[in-house]
Amino acid sequence: MFDSIGWVEILIIVVAGLFILGPERLPSAAAWLGKTVRQVREYATGAREQLKQEMGPEFESLRKPLEDLRELRNFDPKRAVTKHLFEDPEPTKSNGYPTPPAAEQRPLAPGERPPYDPDAT
């Protein structure tokens, strides 16, 4: 939620709060804000748990697309290239069927001609 807020922004908010509220009301305002944020988190956690209990296994099937969208939002080209270059590729699926395993390739013997497929050329 607060991924884009750095320490400089927090410091500016604290200094602005000090000028707006004054030093005598700032601690009570910070305590109220902390309590309110904690309460909102508890409400969100309770709602999520209640949905999880009522929906059962369907809840996980709904969460999967949302997690995929979150991964797309956090897309980093450098990480994607590194993943595809240095990690083992996962077998892709088309139409719900797993891809067949690749035929084992061996080096050609001296004088042996590579296989030729007239339909592929």
Side-chain angles (χ1 to χ4, degrees), residues 3-70:
D3 294 338
S4 62
I5 296 179
W7 290 107
V8 176
E9 288 88 356
I10 293 174
L11 181 65
I12 290 172
I13 291 171
V14 168
V15 169
L18 186 62
F19 281 117
I20 293 170
L21 297 174
E24 62 277 349
R25 287 188 285 172
L26 186 62
S28 62
W32 175 85
L33 181 65
K35 185 172 41 172
T36 305
V37 168
R38 218 175 358 253
Q39 191 174 19
V40 168
R41 282 187 181 172
E42 288 175 7
Y43 289 152
T45 303
R48 182 176 49 223
E49 291 299 321
Q50 185 177 2
L51 274 174
K52 197 174 194 179
Q53 288 174 355
E54 290 179 7
M55 293 183 69
E58 295 173 1
F59 182 75
E60 292 301 323
S61 66
L62 289 175
R63 279 188 56 185
K64 177 78 171 107
L66 293 175
E67 289 176 5
D68 293 341
L69 284 175
R70 186 177 302 135

Side-chain angles (χ1 to χ4, degrees), residues 50-100:
Q50 185 177 2
L51 274 174
K52 197 174 194 179
Q53 288 174 355
E54 290 179 7
M55 293 183 69
E58 295 173 1
F59 182 75
E60 292 301 323
S61 66
L62 289 175
R63 279 188 56 185
K64 177 78 171 107
L66 293 175
E67 289 176 5
D68 293 341
L69 284 175
R70 186 177 302 135
E71 288 178 13
L72 286 176
R73 191 174 359 146
N74 296 333
F75 179 73
D76 179 17
K78 181 179 178 182
R79 188 179 336 139
V81 169
T82 304
K83 176 184 175 188
H84 289 290
L85 287 179
F86 298 114
E87 292 181 6
D88 292 334
E90 297 177 6
T92 58
K93 294 184 178 184
S94 61
N95 298 333
Y97 296 104
T99 57

